[in-house]
Amino acid sequence: MKHLADRKIARFFLSLTVAMLLGFGSIAPVLAQTNLTTGVNPDAEEVEAPLDYAEWEKFATSADDLIGDPNSTDIRLETLRSEIASWREKFLAAQGTNAARLTTIRAQIDALGPAPAEGTTEAKDIAARRADLGKQLTVLQAPSIAAVEAYSRADGLIREIDVLVRERQTDALLQLWPTPLNPAAWPEAMDSVLASAKGLTDELTTNWQDESKRATALDKLPPIVFLLLFSALTILRGRALIEGVAFRLLERGQSNAREIWAFVASLGQIVIPTLGVLAFSTAAIMSGMLGPLGEVVAGELVVFGVIVFVARWIGSSNFPRANSVQTHLRMSTAARAKGRFLAQALGLVLGFEVLRKAFLPAGQLTEASNSILSFPTILVAGYFLFRLGKLLLRNSNEEQGDEEDLNTAQSFATRLISLVARAAMAAAVIGPFLAAIGYIPAAQGLVFPMVASLGLIGLLLTLQNLVGAIYSVVIRSDERGRDALVPVLIGFFLSFASAPFFALIWGARIADLTEVFTKMRDGFQIGETRISPSDYVLLAVVFGFWFLVTRLLQGALKTTILPKTNLDQGGQNAIVAGVGYIGIFLAALIGVTAAGIDLSGLAIVAGALSVGIGFGLQNIVSNFVAGIILLIERPISEGDWIEVNGVMGTVSGISVRSTRIQTFDRTDVIVPNSDFVSGMVTNWTRFNLSGRLIVKVGVAYGTDTRKVETILREIAEAQPLAVLNPPPNVLLVDFGADSLDFEIRVILRDVNFSMAVRSEMNHEIARRFTEEGIEIPFGQRDIWLRNPEVLAQLAAAPARQPGEPVALVEPVEEVHKPSLPRKEL
């Protein structure tokens, strides 16, 4: 059975590879001749070759009888299923028969117009042509309809076989054997072990007593001795040597390159000792001293070695001796040592279980003997599994207790490991309990798959660390490499790709996986359109190509063509953005059309979305439309100094939904585009950089106003950024409460420097007014006390007793003296 399972696994991977090549590898040459509506090639030889439906009916009838026979074996059902799957593939291909011709005839019928309503007639020649085309359509549709019917029956037979096999697997898994805790059955189990040992000994004795076999063994003695020496050297010293080399590479530093080389070297911990076990098994079989049972045990010895060495390697990779290695499990040195020991122990338990089944075949033992002989390995595996789960859970709890030091990815990995640890502990408790009751198959189907799943998870974590190290070397950054997006995506892909292996571990059949892959490859039907992964690949390829063309065109416009035109920067950006939006839309449309996806069925969905847009997405849609208006009309452009809704700054970016404004405080403000269309916007630098600056100044009453006017005009005209045509104006604008108010109105060449010019002019005004003795008034208030002697009496009076009335003081008079000068701020 084990060799049969190996052959099934090999056949599964072979079929998986072939299916990938057929489904993805030959898209380019095949799609040119493929009907994009059905996803099959109508010109292929398999489609043109007529199918023998009579032979299929005979085969399907016999398949029904075999499925209904309770004595049919699982092997026979699996063989039958494979044959039916072959027929189903032919029927699927035949569904595209005459597809091109059928499309042409339907187009011709549509060109004739709609059929006349009941009670009306149409021209005789059109009616005759419509009838003739209808007959041709019926004849051409017959092979496709027959193929669809046969495909449905074949698919139904496959589902019946799958259901029957799963029911049998469930019944076998829930089979109740005698409890292994019953001492009365122990002698029988011991007798079985002794009988197998005696059989193996008898085989060796019989073969040794055979002179011809003994002579053959002596003739092959030199290669046998060489294989045995090679086996002893590689098993006893090879693994330790390779492990030491990997450890020294890791301890020399924290470079990711050393970690990669250490990983490559560590693979020798599996390869070299496995070669040693294979050499030992080969030497034993080559001697000719083994009988049938001995050869089976020798063959399974290689499997035992692979399991043990892989388990040790996974333990060393996830619980490394070198403290400098970065792993998902941040443990102390003692905890890592314990983890390596538990991983090795679980590998030994699984390996011994394989040897036990080879040495004591289940078919040659009673249920009581199988129960008793299986219970110890289940119990020991559960013990070590519980300890490993407890170790992982303790480590996860410690890390979650200090989540401030963890990033999001590490926190997620910690929670995932905690969940896996709890599941392992639960399996470690439930499995031996079920075995003690007598549910040995259920216990084996729970404990051993959990151990294998932990090994596969450890392998995924090791590969994830390797991917992070490789990426760090590629980008030459040890800090950003492991947390970058690319390693995370690759790790997600590895996790997704491992799903079939997890399914196989937990009892899924290879036929189940091939069925899932077949359904994915064949696609699914939406109306009259069949969507398959090849369509998605073609859609992605076509869209990616035209998207790249769009980006290249945008780059050419932005760097080569538009700079040579008279358009300003805002107009250039608008054209580049518009080309990008149109290009992406056309790329999506061309990709969907090339993939043969009919979008007419999305009309209902589009109607429903329009309702949602009308209510929930109205703000987004309004901003989107406003963004298009901004890009077309261009009332603002990047680099403009604008003011909108009280926000003043420079436009740093315009997108379809919003506009980014950088204020003079160097902060970015995101303003919805609808505010620019519906609100009031002030653009200080839209068409030119010139703008008016107003500087206000006040002088004391009694100052010569003409003299002030002359001084202010000289200051304005002396400013380098001031425009002299029109010349600056100096105006006496108001008689204020405390001063005579003047304004300097000057046009600047670049309004962006208005604040600097204002400051410079104020400095010059202060200097010139000081030289000319002109006062700049400022507000001043004096407080007069009408009776200050009362305050003096109150200060000299003794303290007031509680309840004693308070003496009233006359109010304070406030006198305003407007004639005094004030200083303007």
Side-chain angles (χ1 to χ4, degrees), residues 110-344:
D110 293 339
L112 295 178
E118 184 177 356
T120 60
T121 59
E122 59 181 349
K124 293 184 178 180
D125 54 345
I126 296 178
R129 183 57 179 166
R130 188 187 302 276
D132 181 58
L133 292 174
K135 292 179 181 179
Q136 295 183 34
L137 184 65
T138 302
V139 173
L140 292 173
Q141 283 180 334
S144 177
I145 294 175
V148 171
E149 186 274 334
Y151 177 88
S152 301
R153 184 174 183 183
D155 192 62
L157 290 174
I158 289 176
R159 287 198 300 269
E160 291 180 16
I161 294 175
D162 291 340
V163 171
L164 180 58
V165 172
R166 292 193 191 100
E167 290 178 352
R168 292 184 178 183
Q169 288 179 339
T170 303
D171 294 339
L173 189 65
L174 299 179
Q175 187 177 3
L176 180 61
W177 291 352
T179 175
L181 302 180
N182 184 10
W186 293 355
E188 180 183 355
M190 184 59 66
D191 292 339
S192 300
V193 175
L194 295 177
S196 295
K198 185 175 181 304
L200 183 60
T201 304
D202 292 342
E203 289 178 356
L204 293 173
T205 304
T206 302
N207 291 330
W208 179 256
Q209 291 176 354
D210 190 340
E211 294 183 0
S212 61
K213 291 185 177 180
R214 190 166 61 249
T216 302
L218 293 175
D219 293 339
K220 298 179 180 179
L221 186 59
I224 292 175
V225 172
F226 172 77
L227 290 175
L228 292 176
L229 292 175
F230 176 78
S231 174
L233 180 62
T234 53
I235 294 176
L236 298 178
R237 299 297 303 169
R239 183 195 56 78
L241 180 63
I242 296 299
E243 186 176 4
V245 172
F247 178 76
R248 285 191 294 272
L249 285 174
L250 293 175
E251 282 296 316
R252 288 181 179 178
Q254 298 183 358
S255 173
N256 290 304
R258 290 193 180 95
E259 187 173 343
I260 295 173
W261 287 114
F263 173 84
V264 175
S266 68
L267 294 177
Q269 301 178 37
I270 302 175
V271 177
I272 292 179
T274 300
L275 291 177
V277 176
L278 180 62
F280 179 82
S281 177
T282 304
I285 296 175
M286 185 184 297
S287 66
M289 296 293 104
L290 300 179
L293 180 60
E295 291 181 354
V296 172
V297 173
E300 295 299 324
L301 188 63
V302 179
V303 180
F304 168 82
V306 171
I307 294 175
V308 172
F309 300 135
V310 169
R312 183 177 181 86
W313 175 77
I314 292 176
S316 300
S317 300
N318 289 275
F319 309 100
R321 293 169 53 194
N323 295 326
S324 60
V325 179
Q326 301 184 27
T327 64
H328 291 83
L329 305 173
R330 301 190 299 177
M331 293 183 175
S332 62
T333 304
R336 291 186 178 187
K338 186 181 295 185
R340 291 193 299 271
F341 167 75
L342 294 175
Q344 180 67 51

Side-chain angles (χ1 to χ4, degrees), residues 343-362:
Q344 180 67 51
L346 288 173
L348 287 172
V349 172
L350 286 182
F352 279 121
E353 179 66 10
V354 171
L355 290 180
R356 186 195 67 80
K357 289 182 178 181
F359 183 69
L360 299 168

Side-chain angles (χ1 to χ4, degrees), residues 407-486:
N407 55 33
T408 304
Q410 290 175 336
S411 179
F412 174 76
T414 300
R415 293 188 179 94
L416 183 61
I417 293 173
S418 175
L419 180 62
V420 172
R422 296 178 188 275
M425 295 174 66
V429 174
I430 297 174
F433 177 76
L434 294 175
I437 297 175
Y439 288 100
I440 298 295
Q444 291 176 335
L446 180 62
V447 174
F448 295 133
M450 179 56 69
V451 175
S453 297
L454 287 179
L456 185 54
I457 292 173
L459 177 62
L460 291 176
L461 294 178
T462 301
L463 294 179
Q464 178 67 26
N465 289 329
L466 176 64
V467 169
I470 294 175
Y471 189 75
S472 298
V473 172
V474 172
I475 67 173
R476 298 181 180 179
S477 175
D478 294 346
E479 297 180 357
R480 297 186 298 108
R482 297 181 183 275
D483 297 332
L485 177 62
V486 174

